[in-house]
Amino acid sequence: MFLYILIIFLVSYSTGNGLGSLKEAWYTQNIDHFNWRTKGTFLERYFYDDQYWQPQGPIFLYTGNEAPIETFINNTGFILEIAPLYNALVIFIEHRYYG
């Protein structure tokens, strides 16, 4: 089992910059979802890959941790590798305080 995990890690780590066919986009996000009197917004960055997506396919969503999203894209090759098998849309969302 350890050898299998090590191989997956090495393959994911050695995929270059990892961004490949991912496209960068921005979404205007509310600062406060619970207080409707607060009208503040910020631009939230995300990356997506729709080259294999079919309308009936799943959406693989990765929500970012407390670091720039490229760090996680570069080390999460598994999601991108299985997307063609499932005709999936892949989305990586950056944490709101990074980027």
Side-chain angles (χ1 to χ4, degrees):
M1 181 67 170
F2 174 76
L3 182 58
Y4 176 74
I5 293 171
L6 179 62
I7 291 170
I8 293 296
F9 173 76
L10 291 175
V11 168
S12 296
Y13 187 74
S14 65
T15 57
N17 70 4
L19 299 181
S21 60
L22 288 168
K23 300 170 197 127
E24 182 179 27
W26 299 83
Y27 174 76
T28 302
Q29 182 68 268
N30 293 330
I31 289 177
D32 189 342
H33 295 281
F34 301 103
N35 181 356
W36 295 107
R37 290 178 289 203
T38 302
K39 302 294 183 194
T41 62
F42 68 97
L43 290 176
E44 187 165 17
R45 185 169 69 148
Y46 65 97
F47 289 87
Y48 68 97
D49 183 350
D50 59 357
Q51 69 177 324
Y52 303 110
W53 188 61
Q54 299 296 320
Q56 300 302 319
I59 298 172
F60 295 162
L61 176 67
Y62 187 98
T63 56
N65 301 328
E66 288 85 10
I69 195 65
E70 291 93 344
T71 302
F72 301 102
I73 293 171
N74 289 334
N75 294 298
T76 314
F78 181 68
I79 293 173
L80 296 169
E81 291 169 10
I82 64 172
L85 301 174
Y86 293 95
N87 298 319
L89 172 64
V90 177
I91 303 172
F92 289 88
I93 301 175
E94 188 164 61
H95 190 280
R96 71 185 277 181
Y97 294 110
Y98 287 87

